[in-house]
Amino acid sequence: MLITSRPRRNRKSENIRNLISEYSVSCNDLIMPLFVIDGENKKVAIDSMPGQHRYSIDKLCQKATELYSMGIHTVALFPVIPESLKTKDAKEAYNPNGLNQLALKELKKSCPDLTIMTDVALDPYSSDGHDGIVDSKTGEILNDATVEILQLMSLEQAKAGSDILGPSDMMDGRVGAIRSALDKANFENKSIMAYTAKYASSFYGPFRDALDSEPKNGDKKSYQMDFRSSSEALRELELDTMEGADIVMVKPGLPYLDIIQLFKQHSNLPVAAYNVSGEYAMIKAAAQNGWLDGEMAMVESLHSFKRAGADIILTYFAEEMAMLLQKS
Ligand code: PBG
């Protein structure tokens, strides 16, 4: 057959495939989310996220130190708050001696070079299980009242040693409000990674198991975005950029690669993708059943984030990927 262009020539050997490959994933791109619980010497498995655990502060510090030595230099911290401390006003969120703040201080002591990102949203602390304050009469999630608490929360996290504040709540105006609260308190060097396009998603299921933070009533659709739209993501991008975000995030990840690409095309800010709990659980569950090769599915999906334009990937696979990279 006379075929002038034979694309298969560029696929004929591993060496040639390596030569022409355009994207790679390195430990520098990865952020590992970690869950912290009360107590000592505890490492409790999360059933819906095989391989992931909730750690007491001592164990958390060990884990973070291990991750650091493997090349994972940034972690995202999520506290599991006991039911007895959850209230309607979520005031535990800005307790200077609360679990999240204590964990931050200890992490900084035991692993000073580690970069720590913290979550700014009320759901772990709210007896309603919502990211914002719920009006008890109407059930409405109150925007401005919530933003005031997010400011207090950010200040406590900054004081305790957070390097990157991660507002994941989707209230309007929160990035600007947090930026100005931080700046007024001389925390102008604290970064903000905004959860800019955060969609109301069923892929957060296993995370809500891990935190026991499922909303008690209703859903999060009046603040998280509707998956039937993408132009709204650009509107949020514009706002978070104006309000001073340093990094913009898309969440979930795999079902939203189009939004990641859109952000990369429309923004000069670094773009992060959150490969969320449900995406992790799907691969783990299928692998456990022998339905796919879990390791290869992990590598392939992490590369798809880079191809879509993500600079940073938050992923529960960070440790496993680091181990694989060490081997190769
Ligand atoms: C809460 C928060 C959620 C996640 C990160 N921060 C869940 C939610 O919005 O209900 C999800 C992360 C994951 O699923 O891995 N503000």
Side-chain angles (χ1 to χ4, degrees):
M1 256 175 102
L2 187 67
I3 306 175
T4 320
S5 260
R6 287 181 181 267
R8 287 187 56 192
R9 276 196 289 270
N10 282 347
R11 301 177 202 137
K12 72 180 170 193
S13 71
E14 179 83 31
N15 287 350
I16 290 184
R17 290 193 293 273
N18 288 344
L19 278 173
I20 65 162
S21 72
E22 296 173 88
Y23 301 100
S24 62
V25 175
S26 101
C27 283
N28 288 333
D29 308 321
L30 304 179
I31 298 181
M32 176 76 177
L34 290 174
F35 299 99
V36 60
I37 45 170
D38 246 349
E40 242 176 274
N41 197 26
K42 281 199 203 151
K43 180 181 174 188
V44 185
I46 303 167
D47 294 341
S48 52
M49 300 173 73
Q52 300 300 310
H53 299 84
R54 309 171 182 90
Y55 300 95
S56 57
I57 293 181
D58 51 335
K59 291 274 179 192
L60 178 82
C61 292
Q62 272 175 24
K63 186 80 223 171
T65 308
E66 254 171 62
L67 286 166
Y68 192 87
S69 65
M70 293 169 69
I72 301 297
H73 295 167
T74 307
V75 300
L77 188 61
F78 293 99
V80 183
I81 303 299
E83 212 52 47
S84 61
L85 292 176
K86 298 186 184 182
T87 54
K88 277 197 80 67
D89 61 3
K91 64 175 189 311
E92 180 63 13
Y94 51 93
N95 175 357
N97 299 312
L99 178 64
N100 192 63
Q101 279 66 262
L102 291 181
L104 268 168
K105 287 182 208 160
E106 291 303 315
L107 276 174
K108 277 287 161 188
K109 261 191 244 161
S110 62
C111 198
D113 294 330
L114 182 74
T115 297
I116 310 171
M117 171 168 167
T118 46
D119 195 54
V120 184
L122 303 188
D123 51 321
Y125 311 93
S126 151
S127 47
D128 293 306
H130 274 290
D131 293 25
I133 298 293
V134 182
D135 185 309
S136 31
K137 284 196 203 103
T138 61
E140 188 192 339
I141 313 297
L142 301 172
N143 193 87
D144 301 10
T146 300
V147 171
E148 281 177 31
I149 302 176
L150 299 177
Q151 287 179 306
L152 299 175
M153 187 177 178
S154 301
L155 286 175
E156 289 308 325
Q157 293 182 353
K159 277 184 214 156
S162 174
D163 302 291
I164 305 174
L165 286 294
S168 68
D169 55 287
M170 289 306 275
M171 296 301 121
D172 292 336
R174 92 280 206 212
V175 171
I178 292 171
R179 184 72 270 159
S180 77
L182 290 171
D183 291 351
K184 268 189 215 134
N186 297 323
F187 286 126
E188 61 280 347
N189 290 328
K190 301 288 185 186
S191 311
I192 297 180
M193 185 189 295
Y195 285 64
T196 297
K198 179 172 180 177
Y199 283 86
S201 170
S202 39
F203 290 97
Y204 306 147
F207 175 96
R208 293 179 191 169
D209 271 359
L211 250 61
D212 199 11
S213 64
E214 191 66 33
K216 299 285 188 299
N217 281 302
D219 52 40
K220 299 192 174 184
K221 289 183 184 165
S222 78
Y223 46 107
Q224 298 179 349
M225 289 168 42
D226 189 320
F227 55 75
R228 293 169 297 182
S229 145
S230 60
S231 49
E232 214 183 340
L234 288 179
R235 187 174 181 205
E236 291 284 1
L237 174 65
E238 218 173 281
L239 288 168
D240 284 1
T241 305
M242 264 170 14
E243 291 176 32
D246 300 289
I247 300 169
V248 287
M249 189 209 288
V250 175
K251 179 185 177 188
L254 292 175
Y256 297 86
L257 293 175
D258 56 328
I259 309 296
I260 297 171
Q261 190 168 42
L262 210 56
F263 272 28
K264 197 60 194 171
Q265 286 162 353
H266 285 84
S267 177
N268 297 321
L269 290 172
V271 176
Y274 201 140
N275 180 208
V276 300
S277 57
E279 300 167 37
Y280 175 84
M282 285 196 299
I283 290 183
K284 285 290 173 191
Q288 281 180 350
N289 277 296
W291 294 338
L292 50 68
D293 178 334
E295 194 171 275
M296 288 314 296
M298 164 185 80
V299 172
E300 183 179 336
S301 31
L302 293 178
H303 278 80
S304 75
F305 286 115
K306 298 298 291 184
R307 214 174 53 235
D311 302 290
I312 301 166
I313 310 164
L314 291 99
T315 179
Y316 303 95
F317 284 118
E319 180 176 13
E320 209 176 321
M321 187 65 190
M323 280 184 335
L324 199 65
L325 287 167
Q326 268 177 351
K327 275 194 256 162
S328 59

